[in-house]
Amino acid sequence: MNSTLQNSLDALSGVIRGKDRELRLALCCMLARGHLLIDDLPGMGKTALALSLARLLGLEYQRIQFTSDLLPTDILGVSIFDRASSEFQFKPGPVFSQLLLADEINRASPRTQSALLEAMEERQVTVEGQGRSLPEPFVVIATQNPLTQQGTFPLPESQMDRFLMCIPMGYPDTDSEKAILRGEAGRFLVSQLDQSVTPEAFLLMQQEVNTVHASDLLLDYVLRLLKATREEGYFAVGLSPRAGLALLQAARAWAYIDGRDYLIPEDIQAVFVPVANHRLTKQGISPGELLGRVNAMV
Amino acid sequence: MASLSVSRYATLWLLIAQVMVALPVLGVLPVPVLPLLLCTVIWRALIWFGRGAWPSDFIRRLLVALSLVLIVTSSGLQLSLELAVAFLVTGYALKMLEMKTRRDALVIAYIGFFVVGAGVIYSQSLLQALYQLLCVGLLVTAIHAMYAPAYGSSLTSGIKGSLRFTGIVMLQALPLTLALFIFVPRLGPLWAVPWPEGEAQTGLSDTMQPGDVARLSQSYELAFRAQFTGPVPPARERYWRTLVLDQYDGEQWRQSDLVRLLSQFPGEIADERDWQSKSPVIDGWWQVQPGQYNYEILLEPSGRQWLPVLGMAAASVPKTTVLRTLRLESDKPVFERRLYQPARQIVVAQTIAMPSWLLALNKSLPANGNVQSRLLAQQLFAESGRDPVTMARLLMDYFNQEPFYYTLSPPLMGQNGVDQFLFEHRSGFCEHYASSFVFMMRSVGIPARIVTGYLGGEYLPEEQVVRVLQRDAHAWAEIWVNGQGWMRFDPTAAVAPERIDLGIDDMIERGGLLQGQIPLAYRFGQVGFFKSVRQGWERLEYRWQKSVVQYQQEKQHSFMSQLFGTSSFYWQQMAVLGGLLALLLILFGIFALYQRPVPNPHQKLWLRLERKLLNKGFERRAGEGPKDFALRVNAENAAIGAQLLPIVDLYIQSAYSGRVGEDKPLPDQLSKMIRQL
């Protein structure tokens, strides 16, 4: 186990109780240079998670609350005429940060959503014809209310693909919830977290993740999985090659947190559901069930 | 899901296939159902064109109820084949109105195959078989269309692609079809639907009233085909002897049965064998001589027991009996086409007398009636010098010289029918002549009887096949001559020799026997080019019937006996099963070889480990990775786990880390550890 990261995770679980797996997935997602979509009801600790991660990694943090009247300029920034210098001066929007929490992203209109999503993909924004690159690392944690709620604009499948992972937070278990109620855990603790990794070190880690070795045997397993999503008739549309790359990258980060420099099938299985869940149209079985049907070894 | 709905293209094929498949069985459906079926097809077509809406649940249920009521009211609730077929076809049509998913469409296609199968019940002709092949092709195309992503750049190229696929698939299926056809045992039906009475009986009946044969002469149905090897008798000699009618009640000729004989002639019949014997030769009445003609007969289903034979029947063939009247009878009514080969023998009577009871039976007449005929007979008998043969000749001359006419539509005759015929109308069909001939013979004490059967038939020289239609039905007479036995006399020959020489067709052409009643198609088939085309087709049809449709239990058995060199049914089936299994294994083997990647050294090693653990009761689940598996084993059994964990660690290192080298030989240590586990 990578000790630095393990310490960070331990610290995190002091704030957000009983969500070790989700925390690790979130960290894993950031290590893999991916963006994270958290899909759950309000009040489950989504904001607390984003805040703690920012604090822990010492990242510059911004938050946008998405509403239906939010405009792209509210995210990207706008040029304002400065009397003194008689020039237009660019006022960067909240997107120019290292960790951006896009809260309730599905409440904004598609036009605003796509402004953010472009930034996520390109890691730069174009304002008034001028490209401006975003700081490094750049991570978006978006939260989304389940689509059954009123007044939401569901993200199109193609844009869901921009997120490396989609995880539900889920209710805490009884013990953890009791701790929260007792005041032993919660958002108020965020300010007490110590920064354990510098942004520079985190960038280095991101690069190291790329070097995690994937053997032929393991690639065969990934291919079997991808093939099963496409051919067995379980899903309407299977995973794309980009999804395959994302799966591998996420698994690398997972193995890296484990302190390994090579992948084993368990890494793939650990990240498969969060990576595949929002990219597959569910039909016969869930992605989790698919894992049980595809032979991991031979 | 959008991708699992049925495309318009596939629906089009399904619709076409449905109409084509249902056509041949429409004839057996109750008439009131037909408009309903038409409506459903039109409705579905309208939906296809985008001009109709899917029926609501309520309407669908209404349609089902309506069709049930229509079927049951028109054909009754009694379980019959027609009822079953009607339900099948109606369901097939209605299902189209709720076909929304691919699953529905598949069900419809499969029902389609079933309906094609149902068609075989009603006809097994070559034409029907070709048509059914077409239907199967359409259904296969429809199924292919369901899975085809779209029909590509244009409809025509799509159709071409689909048809090419169908062709390939059907060709691929050919070897298996042939193997199944040749080898699968022909088992009897597990259940039988009652055959409707009366409807199924065609051809000659075992009673004869004036007019019966004439009615039959208007039927263009095939009665049977005879395949000759060696010489073929000329048309005038082709008397297909079928039934012998020896009892007369003044109106109707019938076949005397055993019960009536016993009551009439008590004590005369020693046992049943005397009347009906497997081999009449034993009785010493007849002797058999090798016959000239070698032939086999393919009889169309008649629903009756008689089997036509050229001349008199000699020895019996399997599952038949030779009756004392020297005719062949099947043990069961013929409901399926039947192939049999009468013995190549002719029967010659020996110089002995008939038992008195049989003589009496063949002389018996009603006590009164037809006085004039009796008088004429007395007169001729006296002229002949009381000689039966001369008497018969005189009678034939009488028919010839007096103005008698041969007609298919004779006037009706009442009481004293023979008198009326002989002295008033003087026109009649063969049964009138035969009947009055036998009457007059009997009236002077000469044993005589009526024989019905078929005369002539169309000869197809290239195949040496004689096709006999129902319209070739004929009736003639036999008289008993002491010392010579039963002699055949055909009074029709005296009146209308053309009938005997040329057959009924030429009679019709010349004499205009049945004007305006002959189907146009039939008349076409008698002319020049059309005749040769028709005959060519009939030859094909005969071959089809004989070699394919008639490939039943016995033929299969003899074929397989030759093939496997054993006549035991069970060994044959074992051989077939063994062959099939071997074939399957080979196919599976080839399939597996092509499908399964060759495991690399790591995988081989892992498989060995898995086998070993399986013996100890630990089975890896399909989705379980090596580490998870080892941890689970460890949790369940720490002793094994203690050994296993280092092995799996080493395995993971060597298989996944890339440090050991994936194509380099594995550490010997690992394989040793696995061995020791």
Side-chain angles (χ1 to χ4, degrees):
Chain A
M1 188 67 95
N2 185 310
S3 58
T4 326
L5 291 173
Q6 188 56 47
N7 293 339
S8 314
L9 283 173
D10 287 344
L12 271 176
S13 65
V15 181
I16 298 160
R17 282 288 172 92
K19 292 283 158 212
D20 290 352
R21 190 180 159 76
E22 283 74 14
L23 294 176
R24 185 167 166 178
L25 279 172
L27 187 64
C28 167
C29 183
M30 290 173 74
L31 271 175
R33 297 164 61 88
H35 305 288
L36 179 67
L37 181 65
I38 302 178
D39 188 8
D40 218 325
L41 297 164
M44 304 295 262
K46 290 172 293 198
T47 315
L49 174 70
L51 274 175
S52 331
L53 278 171
R55 174 104 191 157
L56 213 58
L57 305 176
L59 300 179
E60 193 190 321
Y61 169 81
Q62 289 276 7
R63 174 185 173 148
I64 315 170
Q65 178 66 45
F66 276 56
T67 59
S68 55
D69 54 357
L70 194 76
L71 293 175
T73 46
D74 297 335
I75 298 176
L76 304 179
V78 68
S79 290
I80 294 170
F81 186 71
D82 185 4
R83 275 271 185 81
S85 58
S86 297
E87 273 179 349
F88 277 99
Q89 213 165 29
F90 182 66
K91 294 273 180 195
V95 77
F96 290 89
S97 63
Q98 287 173 310
L99 198 156
L100 179 69
L101 177 63
D103 216 359
E104 301 196 83
I105 189 171
N106 57 341
R107 288 217 180 272
S109 63
R111 189 168 156 229
T112 311
Q113 283 175 1
S114 62
L116 175 66
L117 292 161
E118 188 216 338
M120 285 162 59
E121 182 66 15
E122 313 289 332
R123 290 173 192 276
Q124 69 158 20
V125 292
T126 311
V127 184
E128 285 148 21
Q130 199 182 348
R132 294 169 197 274
S133 45
L134 297 173
E136 282 279 333
F138 174 67
V139 177
V140 173
I141 297 183
T143 72
Q144 169 171 267
N145 281 334
L147 303 177
T148 46
Q149 291 204 350
Q150 288 191 337
T152 58
F153 296 90
L155 290 174
E157 280 90 348
S158 60
Q159 301 199 336
M160 294 285 270
D161 202 32
R162 304 278 159 82
F163 291 98
L164 179 66
M165 290 186 189
C166 172
I167 57 173
M169 284 300 282
Y171 294 105
D173 57 68
T174 324
D175 288 347
S176 313
E177 197 159 7
K178 204 168 183 179
I180 294 168
L181 293 178
R182 228 188 250 139
E184 290 170 4
R187 198 156 150 188
F188 65 92
L189 286 172
V190 170
S191 53
Q192 296 170 24
L193 279 173
D194 294 326
Q195 179 181 352
S196 54
V197 186
T198 60
E200 292 72 33
F202 191 69
L203 274 173
L204 207 65
M205 284 179 182
Q206 282 187 333
Q207 279 161 20
E208 278 174 4
V209 163
N210 287 336
T211 64
V212 170
H213 177 76
S215 72
D216 255 10
L217 274 182
L218 185 107
L219 291 179
D220 285 344
Y221 175 51
V222 173
L223 287 173
R224 275 201 298 278
L225 272 177
L226 294 178
K227 201 173 157 204
T229 65
R230 292 167 196 164
E231 287 182 1
E232 307 282 340
Y234 299 136
F235 307 101
V237 179
L239 289 176
S240 64
R242 182 160 72 186
L245 280 173
L247 176 65
L248 208 58
Q249 191 63 18
R252 280 191 169 114
W254 186 270
Y256 183 80
I257 296 175
D258 242 358
R260 254 184 294 111
D261 62 350
Y262 55 88
L263 285 171
I264 61 172
E266 281 84 349
D267 299 325
I268 300 287
Q269 292 175 353
V271 298
F272 182 73
V273 175
V275 170
N277 209 15
H278 61 295
R279 297 172 210 252
L280 287 172
T281 316
K282 276 155 229 76
Q283 238 167 35
I285 60 172
S286 69
E289 283 171 299
L290 182 73
L291 280 179
R293 296 194 192 186
V294 176
N295 197 331
M297 298 301 294
V298 182
Chain B
M1 283 300 138
S3 66
L4 284 189
S5 64
V6 188
S7 64
R8 271 167 57 79
Y9 178 59
T11 312
L12 180 66
W13 281 110
L14 265 182
L15 259 174
I16 295 173
Q18 183 174 45
V19 172
M20 296 285 280
V21 164
L23 271 182
V25 285
L26 287 185
V28 299
L29 297 185
V31 180
V33 183
L34 298 180
L36 183 80
L37 295 189
L38 191 65
C39 287
T40 56
V41 170
I42 291 176
W43 192 336
R44 191 60 189 80
L46 284 179
I47 296 175
W48 191 83
F49 283 113
R51 288 166 187 266
W54 292 96
S56 66
D57 256 15
F58 174 71
I59 291 189
R60 287 211 307 265
R61 283 183 194 140
L62 197 71
L63 279 175
V64 171
L66 184 66
S67 52
L68 281 183
V69 169
L70 282 178
I71 292 172
V72 172
T73 50
S74 49
S75 56
L77 254 181
Q78 196 193 0
L79 183 66
S80 70
L81 200 59
E82 276 65 34
L83 193 68
V85 173
F87 277 130
L88 181 66
V89 177
T90 315
Y92 183 42
L94 289 181
K95 184 77 186 158
M96 280 299 267
L97 284 183
E98 55 172 23
M99 186 193 72
K100 291 195 177 159
T101 64
R102 186 189 283 168
R103 192 184 150 277
D104 293 335
L106 272 178
V107 168
I108 289 175
Y110 294 149
I111 299 177
F113 287 116
F114 219 83
V115 178
V116 171
V120 184
I121 301 172
Y122 297 102
S123 166
Q124 296 123 41
S125 69
L126 181 58
L127 200 63
Q128 166 94 350
L130 291 177
Y131 183 80
Q132 283 170 332
L133 198 65
L134 177 71
C135 290
V136 168
L138 281 172
L139 287 169
V140 171
T141 314
I143 292 178
H144 171 248
M146 282 176 220
Y147 289 96
Y151 48 73
S153 52
S154 73
L155 187 60
T156 34
S157 75
I159 290 176
K160 261 187 216 159
S162 294
L163 291 182
R164 192 179 315 120
F165 174 85
T166 305
I168 292 171
V169 164
M170 287 179 70
L171 279 180
Q172 282 172 339
L174 193 66
L176 184 64
T177 313
L178 284 180
L180 290 177
F181 174 76
I182 292 173
F183 292 119
V184 167
R186 305 297 196 267
L187 301 173
L190 296 177
W191 54 276
V193 176
W195 194 286
E197 270 305 313
E199 228 173 275
Q201 301 188 342
T202 54
L204 298 168
S205 67
D206 39 12
T207 61
M208 187 188 84
Q209 270 177 307
D212 279 356
V213 180
R215 239 191 324 279
L216 215 49
S217 297
Q218 295 170 27
S219 158
Y220 291 83
E221 268 176 57
L222 184 66
F224 60 88
R225 301 181 182 88
Q227 161 86 67
F228 284 86
T229 42
V232 180
R236 56 178 304 123
E237 308 253 315
R238 292 202 291 266
Y239 279 90
W240 305 98
R241 212 162 164 280
T242 305
L243 278 164
V244 178
L245 312 175
D246 46 12
Q247 204 166 28
Y248 185 53
D249 62 3
E251 255 180 65
Q252 204 177 46
W253 288 92
R254 64 172 65 245
Q255 174 176 223
S256 53
D257 58 46
L258 183 58
V259 181
R260 206 165 294 135
L261 277 170
L262 278 170
S263 62
Q264 255 177 316
F265 305 96
E268 291 270 2
I269 301 169
D271 57 21
E272 199 178 325
R273 222 197 62 182
D274 200 30
W275 159 249
Q276 149 178 329
S277 160
K278 290 275 176 203
S279 171
V281 184
I282 301 169
D283 294 353
W285 283 29
W286 303 282
Q287 65 182 33
V288 291
Q289 292 174 356
Q292 193 185 356
Y293 304 117
N294 196 17
Y295 62 101
E296 57 182 9
I297 287 180
L298 182 57
L299 181 68
E300 296 293 307
S302 63
R304 299 180 193 271
Q305 285 173 277
W306 47 254
L307 302 171
V309 175
L310 203 55
M312 293 185 182
S316 68
V317 290
K319 292 180 189 166
T320 63
T321 307
V322 174
L323 299 187
R324 184 143 221 166
T325 48
L326 293 180
R327 72 177 189 83
L328 200 58
E329 186 165 278
S330 163
D331 292 345
K332 282 177 190 159
V334 181
F335 284 128
E336 288 169 3
R337 215 172 262 106
R338 173 155 183 190
L339 187 70
Y340 60 96
Q341 187 167 22
R344 187 181 179 176
Q345 284 171 333
I346 51 172
V347 184
V348 178
Q350 289 190 327
T351 51
I352 58 158
M354 267 204 290
S356 56
W357 60 269
L358 201 50
L359 272 179
L361 174 77
N362 281 299
K363 286 182 196 172
S364 70
L365 278 182
N368 32 33
N370 297 316
V371 188
Q372 274 181 292
S373 309
R374 286 177 206 252
L375 272 174
L376 177 66
Q378 293 293 346
Q379 190 191 328
L380 289 173
F381 196 46
E383 267 178 51
S384 72
R386 307 186 78 78
D387 176 47
V389 182
T390 322
M391 160 80 182
R393 297 254 158 77
L394 284 175
L395 199 48
M396 301 272 278
D397 286 346
Y398 176 78
F399 281 133
N400 191 5
Q401 281 150 21
E402 298 288 320
F404 279 99
Y405 300 100
Y406 189 65
T407 173
L408 273 175
S409 35
L412 282 173
M413 287 168 235
Q415 290 280 314
N416 295 327
V418 181
D419 272 7
Q420 278 180 315
F421 167 67
L422 282 180
F423 303 106
E424 275 178 48
H425 305 306
R426 297 202 153 187
S427 60
F429 199 52
C430 55
E431 72 254 47
H432 296 93
Y433 293 97
S435 168
S436 41
F437 183 89
V438 172
F439 182 89
M440 302 220 319
M441 284 311 212
R442 283 190 175 191
S443 71
V444 294
I446 301 168
R449 61 193 185 187
I450 290 199
V451 179
T452 57
Y454 300 87
L455 172 61
E458 183 188 21
Y459 178 51
L460 311 173
E462 282 159 55
E463 290 284 307
Q464 286 204 302
V465 165
V466 175
R467 286 180 84 243
V468 180
L469 305 181
Q470 292 298 355
R471 61 199 325 269
D472 293 313
H474 191 55
W476 61 94
E478 281 179 350
I479 63 169
W480 176 264
V481 182
N482 268 332
Q484 296 199 3
W486 289 104
M487 291 178 70
R488 184 180 68 216
F489 282 92
D490 188 353
T492 312
V495 185
E498 324 76 275
R499 164 70 183 95
I500 314 301
D501 288 338
L502 302 169
I504 191 102
D505 290 331
D506 298 86
M507 279 292 296
I508 288 170
E509 268 169 40
R510 289 178 198 191
L513 278 176
L514 263 179
Q515 274 173 353
Q517 291 178 25
I518 309 153
L520 191 63
Y522 186 83
R523 264 195 260 176
F524 260 115
Q526 300 300 321
V527 193
F529 168 71
F530 295 106
K531 185 165 179 170
S532 60
V533 168
R534 178 179 64 86
Q535 289 189 339
W537 176 258
E538 274 154 7
R539 274 196 295 281
L540 272 181
E541 173 81 37
Y542 177 76
R543 281 192 193 150
W544 165 257
Q545 291 292 345
K546 208 181 140 207
S547 48
V548 179
V549 180
Q550 283 302 305
Y551 184 78
Q552 296 293 349
Q553 235 166 14
E554 278 162 37
K555 273 199 165 185
Q556 186 184 39
H557 186 253
S558 69
F559 173 76
M560 297 206 336
S561 301
Q562 272 187 336
L563 191 67
F564 298 122
T566 168
S567 63
S568 151
F569 176 77
Y570 295 99
W571 279 116
Q572 286 176 2
Q573 289 308 318
M574 290 300 281
V576 169
L577 268 180
L580 277 181
L581 271 179
L583 200 68
L584 272 180
L585 280 179
I586 291 171
L587 283 179
F588 265 121
I590 292 173
F591 190 69
L593 268 184
Y594 273 96
Q595 285 291 308
R596 211 187 166 127
V598 184
N600 70 16
H602 286 102
Q603 285 172 318
K604 277 187 197 157
L605 213 58
W606 177 260
L607 287 174
R608 241 175 72 199
L609 181 65
E610 271 193 2
R611 272 197 298 278
K612 201 131 192 190
L613 286 165
L614 192 63
N615 287 339
K616 298 186 188 302
F618 299 102
E619 192 182 3
R620 188 178 63 86
R621 299 183 194 117
E624 217 167 13
K627 201 169 146 197
D628 287 346
F629 179 48
L631 289 174
R632 183 163 65 87
V633 173
N634 188 40
E636 285 175 31
N637 187 331
I640 296 180
Q643 276 184 295
L644 183 64
L645 283 174
I647 297 180
V648 170
D649 266 351
L650 194 59
Y651 173 80
I652 288 176
Q653 285 276 333
S654 101
Y656 293 109
S657 73
R659 274 192 289 276
V660 181
E662 281 162 34
D663 7 85
K664 286 175 213 140
L666 285 161
D668 293 337
Q669 199 191 350
L670 187 55
S671 100
K672 210 161 104 191
M673 281 162 85
I674 292 176
R675 216 176 304 127
Q676 284 167 355
L677 181 79

